[in-house]
Amino acid sequence: MLSSKEFNRKVYLQDKPRIQAKEELLEKLKLIPEIESIPTRTALGRVTALPIFANLSMPHYHAAAMDGIAVRAEDTYEAHEQRPLHLEKNQDFVYVDTGNPIPNEYNAVIMIEDIQEVDARTIEIIAPATPWQHIRPVGEDVVCGEMILPQGHSLRSVDLGALLAGGVLELPVIKRPKVAILPTGNELIEPGSPMKPGDIIEFNGTVFASFVHEWGGEPLLSNIIVDNPEQIRQAIEKAAAEADMIIINAGSSAGSKDYTYHVISELGEVYTHGIATRPGKPVILGEVKGKPIIGVPGYPVSAYLALEWFLRPLVYHYQGIQEPKRETLTVRLGRRIVSNMGAEDFVRMNIGYVNGEYIANPLTRAAGVTMSMVRADGILIVPPESQGLEQGEEVEIELYKPIEAIEKGILFTGSHDLSIDIVSTLIKKKDVNRQIISSHVGSLAGIMAIRKGEAHVTGIHLLDPELETYNLPYVEKYLAGEDVVMLPFLKREQGWIVPKGNPLNIKTLEDIVEKRAAYVNRQRGAGTRILFDSLLKKHNLSFEHIQGYEREMYSHLSVAAEIKEKENSVGLGVYSAANTMGLDFVPVADESYDLVMTRAFYESEGAQLFLEIIKSEEFVKAVEQLGGYKVVSDCVPNFF
Amino acid sequence: MLSSKEFNRKVYLQDKPRIQAKEELLEKLKLIPEIESIPTRTALGRVTALPIFANLSMPHYHAAAMDGIAVRAEDTYEAHEQRPLHLEKNQDFVYVDTGNPIPNEYNAVIMIEDIQEVDARTIEIIAPATPWQHIRPVGEDVVCGEMILPQGHSLRSVDLGALLAGGVLELPVIKRPKVAILPTGNELIEPGSPMKPGDIIEFNGTVFASFVHEWGGEPLLSNIIVDNPEQIRQAIEKAAAEADMIIINAGSSAGSKDYTYHVISELGEVYTHGIATRPGKPVILGEVKGKPIIGVPGYPVSAYLALEWFLRPLVYHYQGIQEPKRETLTVRLGRRIVSNMGAEDFVRMNIGYVNGEYIANPLTRAAGVTMSMVRADGILIVPPESQGLEQGEEVEIELYKPIEAIEKGILFTGSHDLSIDIVSTLIKKKDVNRQIISSHVGSLAGIMAIRKGEAHVTGIHLLDPELETYNLPYVEKYLAGEDVVMLPFLKREQGWIVPKGNPLNIKTLEDIVEKRAAYVNRQRGAGTRILFDSLLKKHNLSFEHIQGYEREMYSHLSVAAEIKEKENSVGLGVYSAANTMGLDFVPVADESYDLVMTRAFYESEGAQLFLEIIKSEEFVKAVEQLGGYKVVSDCVPNFF
């Protein structure tokens, strides 16, 4: 933690348009690629440094193109159906197979189907041969001296064959550009190190190194560098000596960002400090000892985007090949998107194939930073001049996943349960193309997603406290007029999740109030919260009696994770979540966790597979093993 | 060469539809993938063998989301603009930076912008804080126990970051399937070995190994196996013991195909022998000791296609992920395509972006087998029931190159000259996206390609013998009414290409006749052939006087390659071709090699670049260094 002097934050100097910043970087720095000679066999994916010419011809001899006999064409001109001609072996012909060399004295091949054996030494033909018929001449495929591949060609598997055929056993390719990756930050620790509060695992470096590898470069991932100007300077100088390009990943504290800027200015030149994008603004572009250097923020999403905007072009440019473009998909927006005027917005999106069209929505806030990069199906770029995009508008999304995965994805949006992960695993085993794409937003939001056509299926456990009935009342209320199907799915035990040993000896709601336990609540609209509220009402209590009522988490697991941290805490949740975290559990109520699907989805192949799975023995066994469950999927579904 | 007993060829038993053959293979053989545990850092591109759950939460502590101070929210409720509140350091608050842990006694963060320093120990606030504001709770990003990635997920760079963040340092992935590759054939030799006529370089094995590598498998490329049933049997048995799948690549002689079939039948079972595709028919699919085995023909195109049809699905299926699809492009056919009824035709195509649309044509016959795989832009599949496709018809092509390369390709179709390769190299240096796509079909065919809209630019050297003028008369005749531009380009020396030392002492056309030299001609429509014919006429000779007049080659280089083989041969060609082959040269005539472009192309960016290059000093120097050239590109173009 830094001193209190940090009142005056460094103001970012610029808001430079991203493309302009990139073009400046490419223009100011002349990249001089190095060349190396490598064996052809290992050259897949490498880029030719020079045009490659064949060293020999293929075939390198006149070859028979068919099985048959080699003859002198002139000897055969008399042959005619009415006047068959006899030829003598080793005098007028020899036998050849496809690919055999044609002896010098012969200049045509007659196919085996066109000759008749008279005896062991004689054959008969009834038609003449023309000179050079059925002969593959020298160089018919590749001619010595012919250009096999141009310079700047990214080698594919078939190219390796042509090179070897042309006698090229090794060839000059562009060396992989070396990219130094410098993680900086006092709070960073190597993955696998013992952790204390405040420590953050350094994983950006691994992701960067992996990107560099993907793009054809050679990553040089350094050890973590502390937030010290002298150390940072030394690291950058060393990187400039050893590598072709440098990435320096700022720690997340304000101080390190400043050091990086100052050190680069000292050692070289800063071209850009701050670009007009959200996220991703605090990027530094510059040069040290003639090598390009890019300073990226610690926030993973910003860092990954910055690498793609500025490092990727450099790596491809070094190799002299074009940056591959991502596949895009035209989709309709499921809800409106707010935008920042004056900056490009990069919005991570989920895409689903619902009711015959592709609908895209920004990732729900249920996804934290790192997982959002894993979950995003693609990214939407909103231009600087845009004031926002409307629901229903058609937009183009750059895909992060293959379109087949999106097309067949089963969108599950609602209250998360560990059993859904099991369904996903079993579905994928049956069909590699199918996957459940889960959004953990809670039961009520799940119902709304079904209504808005943003999901295929939701899992809900919503208690109507008056009717003391689960789910049905909510479906009738919120999905009136919609074509949906509700399927009974699970009975789950809800109860008090408490630290191991139940130190406060919580048994009832009154215990929670009396012992001033720190309650960990769920978000509004979550079935568990609705259950808790109904319990409060039943016991004539109000939320004011509950310390921590305003403390909201988004899933059973995160409630359990919270409780694991604090000895005096308690929450309401499912047994499997307590069990997973090694916490104790006091049963409170059984609830119904049911599925609601659109009728359209219910009738689709994906749903048929889903239903098959949840009725299967394998599934029932796996779920009941988690504890606190009873599977009721064989009950009759309700159609609306 | 085999004995003469091979009159009765083995008849292929089947003509099984390709998809049916593939589905049978996948159904009959249950692939049992093995699992291995690898470090997360090295896992890019691997496939998860099980669902992966987080081992720890991220953050794993309550973290400040902003720079500021940590407080007890309850302490701040009285703060108001009219009633500022003072807080004392280390009693009521501590300073925190973004990412710092919140000490246990505090439960909210106030941003630094919202506080005023009174003195070193005291600060002032004028608004209350709500509990948990600006705090990232434990597990906000990744929760311990949460499923980070499902089973059967192909790991991307961003996934590695999420795994490390969740404390997953190593994970179970599907082992790469081992694919044994067995090249067989008596005529095969390893690349780099000394070569005698009849030897064929074994390069298919390297291409197969490269494909396997691309698809995620581990290739085991064996040494060459001779065409001997016992050796083949041993090799297959060994492969079945060591590998998960087997590819056996038949030699090109008929005999080896039979051995493979018999050996597989002996050791296991043949499911399919012969599929309904052209090319690619003689494929064997079967099983040996429970491992799938695929026998592919020696003909490279057929072999590469067979691997894609049958091995690729197996390798992806083993890993439990979907086969990626190739990008496709809708194009218009430049000429009609003949098709085989009853079989799928796989036609290699070139695609050009001409006059605002994509036009595709089968590769010209000027491309031999191996180079055709390098040159093909894509492949067109003609269904079995089709009787052929008409010129102008819209079809879908599976691309072998990225669409950007095709879009910017400059289609050069005509008489090849080494200078065009130099232009291509220099153009690519200036713009990595630009490339010249050459088709060597000769001058007249080049003019026709311009007329038919199949090319952007052609190079021609056509002599009108009556007018004794080059090129212009042909353009006026064949391109009347077309919007074209003719640019003077080169003066080239044509002459007799003879073996080193000029053994027959050829000086004149009469020498060729008298000494009965073996002439190597060019194809009809080639400028060089037209020149030769005009020389014959001038000297009152006819083609009947010329031995080998019917011997036709498609380029200067292939004429030279031919001459290199035979001591008594001679051909007409350019100096640079003779020089490249180390042959001697007797000058005969200077000719004009000029360029003709469509007007549309002339006005495009690609052409501007082309013209810039051919007028550049670098180009002129490089070409004149080849010998026998004079660059005249600075002369004025002719517009038609």
Side-chain angles (χ1 to χ4, degrees):
Chain A
M1 195 177 75
L2 296 177
S3 77
S4 65
K5 293 196 202 82
E6 284 297 321
F7 285 126
N8 300 316
R9 187 105 333 82
K10 174 162 187 42
V11 175
Y12 291 114
L13 298 174
Q14 294 171 306
D15 214 15
K16 190 182 289 185
R18 171 181 63 100
I19 303 289
Q20 180 187 331
K22 175 184 95 168
E23 285 173 355
E24 276 175 17
L25 184 66
L26 285 168
E27 275 161 28
K28 286 179 196 273
L29 281 155
K30 288 294 155 229
L31 298 171
I32 302 163
E34 284 179 62
I35 298 176
E36 60 176 350
S37 189
I38 64 171
T40 298
R41 281 208 161 138
T42 67
L44 176 69
R46 302 302 295 273
V47 180
T48 55
L50 298 165
I52 314 293
F53 299 92
N55 290 330
L56 45 85
S57 297
M58 196 182 90
H60 62 97
Y61 57 93
H62 296 300
M66 298 282 175
D67 298 338
I69 59 170
V71 296
R72 275 176 299 273
E74 302 76 30
D75 289 353
T76 70
Y77 291 162
E78 308 276 316
H80 194 273
E81 226 182 301
Q82 274 89 48
R83 206 174 54 224
L85 189 65
H86 284 204
L87 298 173
E88 208 179 304
K89 183 166 155 184
N90 294 334
Q91 184 175 294
D92 303 317
F93 77 90
V94 286
Y95 285 105
V96 287
D97 285 305
T98 307
N100 288 163
I102 308 293
N104 271 336
E105 54 270 35
Y106 300 117
N107 68 357
V109 166
I110 299 179
M111 299 200 312
I112 203 82
E113 287 88 348
D114 296 337
I115 77 180
Q116 275 279 88
E117 191 183 62
V118 175
D119 58 52
R121 294 188 50 80
T122 321
I123 60 97
E124 179 179 283
I125 55 170
I126 56 169
T130 53
W132 305 105
Q133 77 174 27
H134 299 312
I135 291 182
R136 287 184 76 199
V138 168
E140 186 227 33
D141 198 354
V142 179
V143 184
C144 176
E146 176 178 353
M147 184 172 81
I148 301 178
L149 298 170
Q151 174 177 323
H153 179 83
S154 186
L155 288 152
R156 307 161 297 169
S157 296
V158 294
D159 299 326
L160 306 189
L163 287 170
L164 290 180
V168 178
L169 268 61
E170 58 172 47
L171 72 160
V173 297
I174 306 286
K175 252 187 166 178
R176 299 191 200 280
K178 291 194 183 67
V179 184
I181 299 165
L182 313 176
T184 73
N186 292 334
E187 67 290 349
L188 295 179
I189 59 168
E190 294 287 352
S193 311
M195 297 181 68
K196 58 185 196 302
D199 287 342
I200 291 176
I201 294 176
E202 202 298 292
F203 60 84
N204 275 350
T206 296
V207 179
F208 296 176
S210 189
F211 279 147
V212 168
H213 190 76
E214 278 189 75
W215 301 334
E218 187 189 322
L220 305 171
L221 177 56
S222 139
N223 288 328
I224 295 164
I225 301 153
V226 293
D227 272 333
N228 172 297
E230 187 46 41
Q231 309 253 37
I232 292 176
R233 182 182 302 117
Q234 280 180 29
I236 292 181
E237 282 184 307
K238 180 167 181 278
E242 293 176 346
D244 300 293
M245 307 166 191
I246 310 161
I247 301 293
I248 178 160
N249 191 193
S252 48
S253 58
S256 57
K257 297 189 198 96
D258 291 341
Y259 294 147
T260 309
Y261 171 82
H262 290 304
V263 172
I264 296 174
S265 305
E266 241 183 277
L267 294 174
E269 186 188 344
V270 170
Y271 300 142
T272 298
H273 190 189
I275 51 172
T277 63
R278 308 284 180 273
K281 185 178 159 98
V283 169
I284 302 171
L285 303 173
E287 140 313 293
V288 169
K289 316 260 191 260
K291 308 290 176 70
I293 180 164
I294 301 170
V296 299
Y299 185 62
V301 176
S302 303
Y304 301 171
L305 286 170
L307 248 70
E308 199 175 302
W309 296 332
F310 302 112
L311 179 66
R312 191 177 189 255
L314 284 178
V315 174
Y316 279 99
H317 191 77
Y318 183 98
Q319 296 171 82
I321 51 175
Q322 188 175 12
E323 268 191 86
K325 285 201 202 135
R326 268 215 185 82
E327 210 179 337
T328 61
L329 183 66
T330 305
V331 304
R332 200 185 296 283
L333 284 180
R335 76 177 76 104
R336 71 184 299 260
I337 300 214
V338 181
S339 139
N340 289 292
M341 283 278 288
E344 278 180 300
D345 284 278
F346 286 78
V347 190
R348 282 152 285 153
M349 309 288 281
N350 272 136
I351 306 169
Y353 191 63
V354 184
N355 296 336
E357 59 173 346
Y358 288 105
I359 307 285
N361 288 290
L363 285 188
T364 58
R365 43 176 303 209
V369 150
T370 311
M371 285 307 291
S372 77
M373 290 307 292
V374 172
R375 298 224 184 127
D377 293 316
I379 195 144
L380 168 66
I381 306 173
V382 185
E385 61 276 9
S386 169
Q387 294 183 305
L389 300 165
E390 293 312 312
Q391 176 180 19
E393 216 172 308
E394 257 195 14
V395 295
E396 200 169 276
I397 307 252
E398 264 184 44
L399 297 179
Y400 284 162
K401 293 180 182 166
I403 201 171
E404 297 84 41
I406 294 171
E407 203 177 359
K408 287 196 160 192
I410 295 172
L411 299 184
F412 178 98
T413 303
S415 176
H416 179 248
D417 187 271
L418 291 174
S419 62
I420 299 297
D421 292 340
I422 295 173
V423 179
S424 190
T425 301
L426 295 176
I427 275 188
K428 239 177 166 276
K429 274 193 195 165
K430 278 210 162 266
D431 179 352
V432 300
N433 305 337
R434 290 276 175 201
Q435 193 182 334
I436 294 184
I437 318 236
S438 289
S439 246
H440 311 162
V441 291
S443 302
L444 214 50
I447 282 188
M448 292 308 159
I450 293 289
R451 193 164 95 178
K452 288 188 278 181
E454 286 173 12
H456 295 126
V457 53
T458 186
I460 58 176
H461 57 112
L462 295 161
L463 175 66
D464 182 317
E466 324 251 321
L467 302 174
E468 297 213 326
T469 307
Y470 271 92
N471 301 327
L472 194 54
Y474 288 82
V475 175
E476 284 175 334
K477 177 176 180 186
Y478 292 103
L479 295 173
E482 301 287 333
D483 219 353
V484 294
V485 183
M486 191 173 99
L487 299 106
F489 186 39
L490 305 168
K491 292 273 176 273
R492 312 195 297 191
E493 267 197 311
Q494 287 263 18
W496 307 124
I497 299 179
V498 289
K500 195 125 192 92
N502 197 354
L504 294 183
N505 199 25
I506 305 284
K507 287 197 173 33
T508 65
L509 193 42
E510 282 77 14
D511 289 336
I512 291 174
V513 175
E514 278 169 41
K515 301 184 184 186
R516 297 179 60 76
Y519 185 73
V520 184
N521 205 354
R522 290 290 307 280
Q523 81 280 19
R524 263 160 264 223
T528 304
R529 182 171 175 130
I530 291 172
L531 175 62
F532 186 68
D533 288 343
S534 87
L535 288 170
L536 285 175
K537 197 167 178 190
K538 239 187 185 158
H539 291 245
N540 287 316
L541 292 164
S542 103
F543 69 87
E544 291 154 334
H545 295 115
I546 306 297
Q547 211 186 47
Y549 183 84
E550 67 287 337
R551 184 93 183 91
E552 296 180 1
M553 306 304 290
Y554 271 79
S555 70
H556 299 285
L557 271 180
S558 36
V559 167
E562 185 72 3
I563 289 160
K564 208 176 167 79
E565 295 294 310
K566 281 197 150 147
E567 273 292 289
N568 68 332
S569 56
V570 62
L572 185 63
V574 291
Y575 173 77
S576 53
N579 197 27
T580 299
M581 290 290 181
L583 302 167
D584 279 0
F585 183 82
V586 181
V588 170
D590 267 352
E591 58 169 15
S592 297
Y593 178 89
D594 299 324
L595 302 170
V596 180
M597 310 184 168
T598 63
R599 182 63 174 265
F601 176 67
Y602 181 76
E603 289 170 357
S604 76
E605 228 182 85
Q608 291 317 304
L609 193 53
F610 191 105
L611 295 170
E612 196 187 309
I613 296 289
I614 67 177
K615 294 185 206 282
S616 71
E617 219 182 281
E618 200 179 353
F619 173 73
V620 173
K621 206 163 142 198
V623 170
E624 291 182 351
Q625 221 165 39
L626 287 172
Y629 286 101
K630 186 169 179 352
V631 181
V632 296
S633 54
D634 51 343
C635 298
V636 175
N638 296 308
F639 292 85
F640 295 85
Chain B
M1 190 177 78
L2 297 177
S3 77
S4 64
K5 293 194 203 85
E6 287 296 322
F7 286 126
N8 301 316
R9 187 106 334 83
K10 176 165 185 38
V11 175
Y12 291 113
L13 300 172
Q14 296 171 305
D15 214 16
K16 191 183 289 185
R18 172 179 65 99
I19 302 290
Q20 180 188 331
K22 175 184 95 168
E23 285 172 355
E24 277 175 17
L25 186 67
L26 285 169
E27 274 160 29
K28 286 179 195 275
L29 281 156
K30 288 296 155 228
L31 297 172
I32 302 160
E34 284 179 63
I35 297 177
E36 62 178 348
S37 189
I38 63 171
T40 299
R41 278 208 163 138
T42 66
L44 177 69
R46 302 302 295 273
V47 180
T48 54
L50 297 166
I52 315 293
F53 299 92
N55 291 329
L56 46 85
S57 298
M58 197 181 87
H60 63 97
Y61 57 93
H62 296 300
M66 297 284 175
D67 299 338
I69 58 172
V71 297
R72 276 176 297 274
E74 302 76 31
D75 289 352
T76 69
Y77 290 163
E78 307 276 315
H80 194 275
E81 226 181 300
Q82 274 89 50
R83 206 175 52 225
L85 189 65
H86 284 205
L87 299 172
E88 210 180 300
K89 183 166 155 185
N90 294 334
Q91 184 175 293
D92 303 317
F93 77 90
V94 287
Y95 285 105
V96 288
D97 285 304
T98 306
N100 287 164
I102 308 295
N104 272 337
E105 54 270 36
Y106 300 118
N107 68 354
V109 166
I110 299 178
M111 298 200 312
I112 202 84
E113 286 87 347
D114 296 335
I115 77 180
Q116 275 277 88
E117 191 183 60
V118 174
D119 59 50
R121 297 188 48 80
T122 322
I123 59 94
E124 180 179 285
I125 53 169
I126 56 170
T130 52
W132 305 105
Q133 78 174 27
H134 298 314
I135 290 182
R136 286 184 75 202
V138 168
E140 185 227 32
D141 198 353
V142 179
V143 185
C144 178
E146 177 179 352
M147 184 173 80
I148 300 179
L149 297 170
Q151 174 178 325
H153 179 82
S154 186
L155 288 151
R156 306 161 298 169
S157 297
V158 295
D159 299 324
L160 306 190
L163 288 169
L164 290 180
V168 178
L169 269 60
E170 56 172 48
L171 71 160
V173 296
I174 305 287
K175 252 188 164 176
R176 298 192 201 279
K178 290 193 183 71
V179 184
I181 299 165
L182 313 178
T184 72
N186 292 335
E187 67 290 349
L188 295 179
I189 58 167
E190 295 287 350
S193 312
M195 297 180 67
K196 59 186 195 301
D199 286 342
I200 291 176
I201 293 176
E202 202 297 291
F203 60 84
N204 275 349
T206 296
V207 178
F208 296 175
S210 189
F211 279 147
V212 168
H213 189 77
E214 277 189 75
W215 301 334
E218 188 189 321
L220 306 172
L221 176 57
S222 140
N223 288 328
I224 294 166
I225 300 152
V226 292
D227 272 333
N228 172 296
E230 188 47 39
Q231 309 256 35
I232 292 175
R233 182 182 303 117
Q234 281 180 25
I236 291 180
E237 282 183 309
K238 181 167 182 275
E242 292 177 347
D244 301 295
M245 308 167 190
I246 310 161
I247 301 291
I248 178 160
N249 190 193
S252 49
S253 57
S256 58
K257 296 189 198 100
D258 291 341
Y259 293 147
T260 309
Y261 172 80
H262 291 302
V263 173
I264 296 175
S265 305
E266 242 183 275
L267 294 174
E269 186 187 344
V270 171
Y271 301 142
T272 298
H273 190 190
I275 51 172
T277 63
R278 307 287 179 271
K281 185 180 160 98
V283 170
I284 302 171
L285 303 173
E287 141 312 295
V288 170
K289 316 263 190 259
K291 308 288 175 73
I293 181 163
I294 303 171
V296 299
Y299 185 61
V301 176
S302 303
Y304 301 172
L305 286 171
L307 249 69
E308 199 175 303
W309 297 332
F310 302 112
L311 179 67
R312 191 176 190 254
L314 284 177
V315 174
Y316 279 99
H317 189 78
Y318 183 98
Q319 296 171 80
I321 52 175
Q322 187 175 12
E323 270 190 85
K325 285 200 202 136
R326 268 215 185 82
E327 211 180 336
T328 61
L329 183 65
T330 307
V331 303
R332 200 184 294 284
L333 285 181
R335 74 179 78 108
R336 71 185 299 260
I337 300 215
V338 180
S339 138
N340 289 293
M341 284 277 290
E344 277 179 300
D345 284 277
F346 286 79
V347 190
R348 280 152 287 153
M349 309 289 281
N350 273 136
I351 307 168
Y353 191 64
V354 184
N355 296 336
E357 60 173 347
Y358 289 104
I359 307 284
N361 288 292
L363 286 188
T364 58
R365 43 176 302 206
V369 149
T370 311
M371 286 307 292
S372 77
M373 291 308 291
V374 170
R375 296 224 186 127
D377 294 315
I379 195 143
L380 167 67
I381 306 173
V382 185
E385 61 275 10
S386 169
Q387 293 184 305
L389 300 164
E390 293 311 313
Q391 176 179 20
E393 213 171 310
E394 257 195 16
V395 295
E396 200 170 277
I397 308 250
E398 265 185 43
L399 297 179
Y400 284 162
K401 293 181 181 165
I403 202 174
E404 296 83 42
I406 294 170
E407 203 178 358
K408 286 195 163 193
I410 296 172
L411 299 184
F412 177 97
T413 303
S415 175
H416 178 248
D417 186 271
L418 291 173
S419 62
I420 299 298
D421 293 339
I422 296 175
V423 179
S424 191
T425 301
L426 294 176
I427 274 188
K428 241 179 164 274
K429 274 194 196 166
K430 278 209 162 266
D431 179 353
V432 299
N433 306 338
R434 291 274 175 201
Q435 194 184 334
I436 294 187
I437 319 236
S438 288
S439 246
H440 311 160
V441 292
S443 301
L444 214 50
I447 281 188
M448 291 311 158
I450 294 286
R451 193 163 94 178
K452 287 188 277 181
E454 288 173 12
H456 296 125
V457 54
T458 184
I460 59 174
H461 57 110
L462 295 160
L463 175 66
D464 182 317
E466 322 252 318
L467 301 175
E468 296 212 328
T469 307
Y470 272 91
N471 299 325
L472 193 55
Y474 288 83
V475 174
E476 285 176 334
K477 177 176 178 185
Y478 292 103
L479 295 172
E482 301 288 330
D483 219 352
V484 295
V485 182
M486 191 175 99
L487 299 104
F489 186 39
L490 305 169
K491 292 273 175 272
R492 311 194 297 192
E493 266 195 312
Q494 287 263 20
W496 307 124
I497 299 179
V498 290
K500 196 127 191 92
N502 197 355
L504 293 183
N505 199 25
I506 305 283
K507 288 195 169 37
T508 65
L509 193 45
E510 282 77 14
D511 289 337
I512 293 173
V513 176
E514 275 168 44
K515 298 180 186 188
R516 297 180 59 75
Y519 186 71
V520 182
N521 206 354
R522 289 291 306 279
Q523 82 280 19
R524 264 160 265 224
T528 303
R529 181 169 175 134
I530 292 172
L531 174 60
F532 185 68
D533 289 344
S534 85
L535 289 171
L536 286 175
K537 195 162 178 198
K538 238 187 185 156
H539 292 245
N540 287 318
L541 292 162
S542 103
F543 69 88
E544 290 153 334
H545 295 115
I546 306 296
Q547 209 185 50
Y549 183 85
E550 66 288 335
R551 183 91 183 94
E552 296 180 1
M553 307 303 291
Y554 272 78
S555 70
H556 299 286
L557 270 179
S558 38
V559 166
E562 185 73 3
I563 289 161
K564 208 174 166 82
E565 297 292 311
K566 282 198 150 146
E567 274 291 291
N568 68 333
S569 58
V570 63
L572 185 63
V574 290
Y575 173 77
S576 54
N579 196 27
T580 299
M581 291 287 182
L583 302 166
D584 279 0
F585 183 82
V586 181
V588 168
D590 266 352
E591 60 170 12
S592 297
Y593 178 89
D594 300 323
L595 302 169
V596 181
M597 310 183 166
T598 61
R599 183 63 174 266
F601 177 68
Y602 181 77
E603 287 169 359
S604 77
E605 226 182 86
Q608 292 316 304
L609 194 53
F610 190 106
L611 295 171
E612 196 186 309
I613 296 291
I614 66 176
K615 294 185 207 281
S616 71
E617 218 180 282
E618 198 181 353
F619 172 75
V620 172
K621 205 162 143 200
V623 169
E624 290 181 352
Q625 222 164 40
L626 288 173
Y629 286 103
K630 186 167 180 351
V631 181
V632 296
S633 56
D634 53 341
C635 297
V636 174
N638 295 308
F639 293 85
F640 295 84

